[in-house]
Amino acid sequence: MSKTYSIAIDGPAGAGKSTIARRLAAELGYYYVDTGAIYRTVAYFLDLWGVSPKDIDGVTRYIDELTVEIEYDEDGKQHMIMNGMDVTDDIRTQEISQKASLVSAHAIVRDMLLDMQRDVAKKHNVVMDGRDIGTVVLPKATVKIFLTADPAVRAKRRCDELNAKGQKADFNKVLQEIQQRDYQDTHREVAPLKMCRDSVKLDTSNLDIDGVVAAMKKIIGEKIPL
Ligand code: DC
């Protein structure tokens, strides 16, 4: 099999990971793997069954009933399939964001999802984003980037995104949710969000999308012929 390249992008909620990763993947002709969507699918499934994401007994009892698959359409868009049903759009709510953060703290959930993430990277060149890609999922990734931004900047971006979709957003509430998720994602015992020694940190607080993409390409270009 020919060599595959993997670009691991980790960082807190709202740092711009998915927007940037999607664009990079399109420009490089790589698969974009949004691993947050996988945890969101688990949270959505448990929510349908009325299981609290904190209830480890409930999670353990129901998780065997769940099959999660990643599919790509002809435009390269990732779709999340839950027990045969496409839930790609259903998992994009603030409520599921919070629940995904809580459910992702359980080792049983993370273990179940590890191989499916690694399998995509074995077969294809990938840009994969999440919280533990450089540390756990792809420790030998070709390039590792830690994307971050000031919490207030991230909250403002999230509000703009919601407004663009015609949804109202309360800045203080969004900021509080972001800070709560940051806390949960960095303080859990299993695979917490942290920067690894061999990743390059990029603070996007004062950069627009083009600026981030240009900076990322510079970092990537040092390891992969572009
Ligand atoms: O990237 P996102 O906002 O869609 O992720 C939702 C939650 O899923 C996030 O708060 C923590 C969890 N997550 C994780 O634990 N590990 C990953 N690799 C990706 C997401």
Side-chain angles (χ1 to χ4, degrees):
M1 198 165 68
S2 64
K3 179 175 166 49
T4 55
Y5 294 117
S6 46
I7 299 169
I9 305 177
D10 288 303
K17 296 188 300 295
S18 57
T19 309
I20 302 300
R22 190 174 296 115
R23 208 171 112 178
L24 274 174
E27 287 189 23
L28 301 174
Y30 287 15
Y31 276 61
Y32 166 47
V33 188
D34 167 5
T35 64
I38 309 175
Y39 291 95
R40 286 169 180 270
T41 302
V42 177
Y44 183 71
F45 170 80
L46 293 168
D47 200 42
L48 285 180
W49 287 99
V51 178
S52 158
K54 287 186 182 171
D55 171 12
I56 182 62
D57 293 336
V59 171
T60 307
R61 233 177 308 122
Y62 278 79
I63 202 89
D64 285 345
E65 305 298 321
L66 168 66
T67 56
V68 186
E69 289 158 291
I70 300 181
E71 284 182 4
Y72 289 90
D73 65 21
E74 61 273 18
D75 297 327
K77 183 179 176 209
Q78 175 180 321
H79 288 257
M80 292 313 306
I81 313 296
M82 176 197 82
N83 292 359
M85 211 168 79
D86 191 326
V87 295
T88 310
D89 296 328
D90 306 293
I91 59 176
R92 296 280 147 206
T93 65
Q94 287 292 96
E95 195 192 341
I96 294 299
S97 304
Q98 285 301 333
K99 291 187 170 169
S101 171
L102 291 170
V103 89
S104 67
H106 302 303
I108 188 173
V109 173
R110 305 201 74 83
D111 290 349
M112 168 188 163
L113 303 173
L114 195 53
D115 283 346
M116 70 183 293
Q117 299 169 72
R118 287 182 174 158
D119 282 349
V120 191
K122 257 185 225 154
K123 292 187 206 133
H124 308 283
N125 292 328
V126 292
V127 180
M128 189 178 286
D129 77 3
R131 305 292 188 286
D132 63 338
I133 309 307
T135 50
V136 176
V137 180
L138 304 175
K140 293 189 175 153
T142 327
V143 182
K144 297 182 187 180
I145 297 171
F146 192 87
L147 214 57
T148 188
D150 187 78
V153 173
R154 291 189 274 130
K156 163 91 171 50
R157 286 180 189 158
R158 194 44 54 97
C159 287
D160 290 347
E161 232 171 70
L162 290 167
N163 289 336
K165 282 193 220 160
Q167 297 173 27
K168 277 203 191 127
D170 174 346
F171 175 81
N172 287 323
K173 189 160 174 264
V174 172
L175 177 60
Q176 199 199 344
E177 282 174 355
I178 279 187
Q179 286 170 326
Q180 191 183 338
R181 268 217 285 163
D182 284 356
Y183 186 86
Q184 285 163 189
D185 295 347
T186 51
H187 285 78
R188 66 180 179 224
E189 270 178 41
V190 201
L193 168 65
K194 64 173 182 218
M195 204 180 118
C196 32
R197 277 215 306 248
D198 52 349
S199 72
V200 180
K201 185 174 175 178
L202 185 60
D203 188 322
T204 71
S205 302
N206 298 311
L207 294 172
D208 61 11
I209 294 175
D210 286 340
V212 181
V213 171
M216 301 268 281
K217 280 186 163 168
K218 208 163 155 232
I219 298 166
I220 295 165
E222 285 171 17
K223 296 274 177 69
I224 299 175
L226 296 181

